[in-house]
Amino acid sequence: MIMSWEIMRAYLPLYAKALLLVLKIGWIGIALAILIGVGCSMIRHFKIPVLQRLVSVYIELFRNTPLLVQLFFLYFGLPKLGLDIDAEVCGALGLALLGGAYMAEAFRSGLEAVEPIQMESALSLGMSRRQAFLHVVLPQAISISVPAFVANIIFLIKETSVFSAISLMDLMFTAKDLIGLYYKTGECLTLLVIFYLIILLPVSIVGSLVERRLRYAGFGD
Amino acid sequence: MVLIMADELVKIDHMTKKYDENTIIEDLSLTIHEGEVVVIVGPSGCGKSTLLRCINGLEPIQGGSITFRGESIDGKSKHINEIRQRIGMVFQSYELFPHKTILQNITLAPIMVQKRKKGEVEKEAEELLSRVGLLEKKDSFPRQLSGGQKQRVAIVRALCMHPEVLLFDEVTAALDPEMVREVLEVLLSLAEQGRTMVIVTHEMSFAKAVADRVVFLDHGEIVEEGRPVDFFEHPKTERAQKFLNTFTYDKVEKAK
Ligand SMILES: Nc1ncnc2c1ncn2[C@@H]1O[C@H](COP(=O)(O)OP(=O)(O)OP(=O)(O)O)[C@@H](O)[C@H]1O
Ligand SMILES: [Mg+2]
């Protein structure tokens, strides 16, 4: 198959626009997902009554349904309840809710991986439970969860490829649209792959650098 | 009402400890006096670690009382953090904080809990580190140290809080034999300084050398206690004799 650089260059601005959209929604969605995830895992870790139950239901619900279905509910369901929702907000929200459930699980296993005796050793030095949690348990839990966080971020960015279903002009939508119009399948798909790599490779690289820097907390010996 | 004498640091009075329905320690009384080195020995599972954890308020007790200078030790009370500052504890598995350097491990609690000046605490930490031969490791992370070195750091970390009594739970049990000595020597020098210590150990010759008093625990009760010479040379009870025998070996008779 011979590909035309001219055509690819001509399509570039459309892809760039889609890239910015994915970055914008992705960044907001992922930031919210981390907040939700950390919040939920704290609720579970400290076994806060009632909320703990709700969090479990939320996590199971969102981890076990596809993002596409969640987006449909938000995009077509909420207006039925009288809540009009913008497609971009809907995308970010969907990503945040799905991501929050995954981040909560990732962070919970990080918290659980810190041996209780670390807490006791901090207490035996006269620290309060709060001090021990903040200065001894939490930093270790965070660095243990970093690999899972990075994996989740990559997963969530890939999931943005279903945004086209709620008529967001994401990368997937752009590619499909252009193929439908001009039948330049090879060029369009190549650009699609390149643009996903542009987003995801830096995430992977930065992620593994951070992981390497934080690896100290992975073991006691 | 428990009467406290002036030199009584820790007083355990008719204490009972259960895990669910299992009684681990029953009706145990033991007093630790100032400047005394008490060594606790006994078979595995007899409740030695549990006893130390109770003294530090890490385990709730189901009966009797434990007091430190007359103040009740209770993991749920408001004063527990203040009392724990005055009781140092060293664990078998060191439990250094892996995300902090050696120096930070030692200075974290004195700065944060006791609100002491960073410079002053670091100076003291460095002095203590050099005394155990580890000053050049102050900026290393725990994972870069050997087991024996980590355990010496853990001891320094406890000392830097200026505790009035130190609890050691089998601090050499996780170490390779060649590292046991370097840690035990630190404990011996602390004993020479007149520190109050409660030491749980399986190192019988060390126990004999360091102890002012040996307490033999079996099935959660004190079966025998006394001066080390008496206990090790002439154990009175059959259980103690049997226990001590497990540390000696008869010559193997080889068939010709
Ligand atoms: N968290 C726990 N829950 C239930 N039972 C426990 C718990 N911790 C300890 N036990 C039990 O309490 C008993 C005493 O345990 P402990 O660890 O105090 O023994 P030990 O004398 O320190 O033994 P070792 O010499 O092996 O360290 C054991 O039978 C043990 O199984
Ligand atoms: Mg033990």
Side-chain angles (χ1 to χ4, degrees), chain B residues 143-168:
Chain B
R143 68 182 146 84
Q144 297 165 313
L145 269 58
S146 74
Q149 292 173 330
K150 277 189 267 199
Q151 197 55 290
R152 282 181 279 159
V153 171
I155 295 169
V156 166
R157 183 173 70 173
L159 286 176
C160 208
M161 291 293 289
H162 306 154
E164 290 164 60
V165 55
L166 285 156
L167 313 176
F168 295 93

Side-chain angles (χ1 to χ4, degrees), chain A residues 93-110:
Chain A
L93 198 60
L95 215 52
L97 290 172
L98 173 74
Y102 276 88
M103 295 293 185
E105 284 297 282
F107 200 57
R108 186 175 68 135
S109 46

Side-chain angles (χ1 to χ4, degrees), chain A residues 56-186:
Chain A
S56 302
V57 171
Y58 154 68
I59 289 174
E60 292 312 317
L61 192 65
F62 278 80
R63 263 163 49 99
N64 294 303
T65 49
L67 178 60
L68 191 57
V69 174
Q70 296 164 16
L71 288 177
F72 273 11
F73 260 87
L74 293 173
Y75 194 63
F76 301 111
L78 286 184
K80 291 244 153 60
L81 300 171
L83 271 168
D84 263 330
I85 186 165
D86 176 73
E88 286 187 16
V89 175
C90 181
L93 198 60
L95 215 52
L97 290 172
L98 173 74
Y102 276 88
M103 295 293 185
E105 284 297 282
F107 200 57
R108 186 175 68 135
S109 46
L111 283 171
E112 275 171 7
V114 182
E115 298 280 346
I117 195 167
Q118 278 278 312
M119 167 64 97
E120 292 173 349
S121 137
L123 291 179
S124 78
L125 288 163
M127 290 185 211
S128 65
R129 287 201 162 266
R130 214 181 83 94
Q131 289 171 327
F133 183 77
L134 287 179
H135 296 269
V136 175
V137 177
L138 196 60
Q140 294 184 58
I142 289 174
S143 53
I144 293 168
S145 332
V146 162
F149 269 42
V150 173
N152 284 345
I153 290 173
I154 292 173
F155 158 77
L156 289 172
I157 293 175
K158 289 192 214 161
E159 285 291 295
T160 61
S161 60
V162 305
F163 279 177
S164 54
I166 55 168
S167 69
L168 278 170
M169 301 275 273
D170 72 332
L171 287 167
M172 200 65 191
F173 189 101
T174 305
K176 272 198 283 191
D177 211 32
L178 287 171
I179 292 170
L181 284 172
Y182 308 110
Y183 302 106
K184 301 292 181 200
T185 316

Side-chain angles (χ1 to χ4, degrees), chain B residues 207-254:
Chain B
K208 209 160 148 183
V210 79
D212 294 318
R213 184 155 55 112
V214 179
V215 172
F216 173 57
L217 207 63
D218 195 10
H219 294 296
E221 57 174 351
I222 296 176
V223 177
E224 195 169 328
E225 65 173 296
R227 294 189 311 156
V229 275
D230 299 332
F231 176 77
F232 287 107
E233 308 301 332
H234 314 286
K236 289 190 287 281
T237 59
E238 201 184 320
R239 275 153 89 182
Q241 284 160 14
K242 252 176 102 182
F243 170 73
L244 288 171
N245 273 336
T246 60
F247 291 91
T248 58
Y249 296 91
D250 291 328
K251 200 169 183 306
V252 179
E253 293 287 335
K254 284 192 184 132

Side-chain angles (χ1 to χ4, degrees), chain B residues 19 24 42-51 59 92 169-170 202:
Chain B
Y19 284 116
I24 306 297
S44 180
C46 70
K48 306 181 293 296
S49 299
T50 305
L51 179 61
E59 294 287 347
Q92 179 176 333
D169 190 5
E170 296 196 40
H202 283 296

Side-chain angles (χ1 to χ4, degrees), chain B residues 25-44:
Chain B
I25 296 173
E26 190 154 28
D27 196 31
L28 183 142
S29 297
L30 178 68
T31 302
I32 316 290
H33 301 266
E34 233 175 301
E36 194 182 25
V37 177
V38 175
V39 171
I40 300 175
V41 299
S44 180

Side-chain angles (χ1 to χ4, degrees), chain B residues 46-240:
Chain B
C46 70
K48 306 181 293 296
S49 299
T50 305
L51 179 61
L52 290 194
R53 293 167 57 78
C54 291
I55 297 178
N56 213 357
L58 293 172
E59 294 287 347
I61 56 174
Q62 281 71 37
S65 68
I66 307 178
T67 52
F68 177 82
R69 289 207 190 277
E71 273 190 83
S72 163
I73 294 177
D74 168 8
K76 290 199 176 62
S77 89
K78 273 194 206 132
H79 303 293
I80 190 68
N81 298 336
E82 197 260 321
I83 294 177
R84 282 200 188 114
Q85 292 173 41
R86 302 159 69 190
I87 304 176
M89 179 144 181
V90 183
F91 298 86
Q92 179 176 333
S93 46
Y94 340 118
E95 300 311 325
L96 297 181
F97 307 136
H99 58 300
K100 302 238 178 257
T101 65
I102 298 310
L103 195 64
Q104 290 167 341
N105 259 279
I106 301 167
T107 59
L108 179 68
I111 294 171
M112 188 166 69
V113 178
Q114 295 178 324
K115 311 271 183 261
R116 281 155 61 191
K117 292 233 164 53
K118 190 170 176 220
E120 174 245 325
V121 176
E122 281 181 349
K123 193 160 158 273
E124 182 182 355
E126 283 169 7
E127 255 167 48
L128 288 168
L129 274 177
S130 72
R131 231 183 284 167
V132 298
L134 289 174
L135 185 57
E136 79 278 19
K137 298 284 184 194
K138 71 184 169 95
D139 296 316
S140 306
F141 282 93
R143 68 182 146 84
Q144 297 165 313
L145 269 58
S146 74
Q149 292 173 330
K150 277 189 267 199
Q151 197 55 290
R152 282 181 279 159
V153 171
I155 295 169
V156 166
R157 183 173 70 173
L159 286 176
C160 208
M161 291 293 289
H162 306 154
E164 290 164 60
V165 55
L166 285 156
L167 313 176
F168 295 93
D169 190 5
E170 296 196 40
V171 290
T172 59
L175 300 179
D176 291 337
E178 68 269 22
M179 291 173 191
V180 168
R181 193 172 190 93
E182 65 190 38
V183 172
L184 293 185
E185 272 168 6
V186 174
L187 264 59
L188 281 169
S189 75
L190 291 176
E192 273 167 25
Q193 292 164 25
R195 287 190 177 266
T196 315
M197 305 199 271
V198 182
I199 303 173
V200 169
T201 184
H202 283 296
E203 302 282 338
M204 291 304 144
S205 56
F206 166 70
K208 209 160 148 183
V210 79
D212 294 318
R213 184 155 55 112
V214 179
V215 172
F216 173 57
L217 207 63
D218 195 10
H219 294 296
E221 57 174 351
I222 296 176
V223 177
E224 195 169 328
E225 65 173 296
R227 294 189 311 156
V229 275
D230 299 332
F231 176 77
F232 287 107
E233 308 301 332
H234 314 286
K236 289 190 287 281
T237 59
E238 201 184 320
R239 275 153 89 182

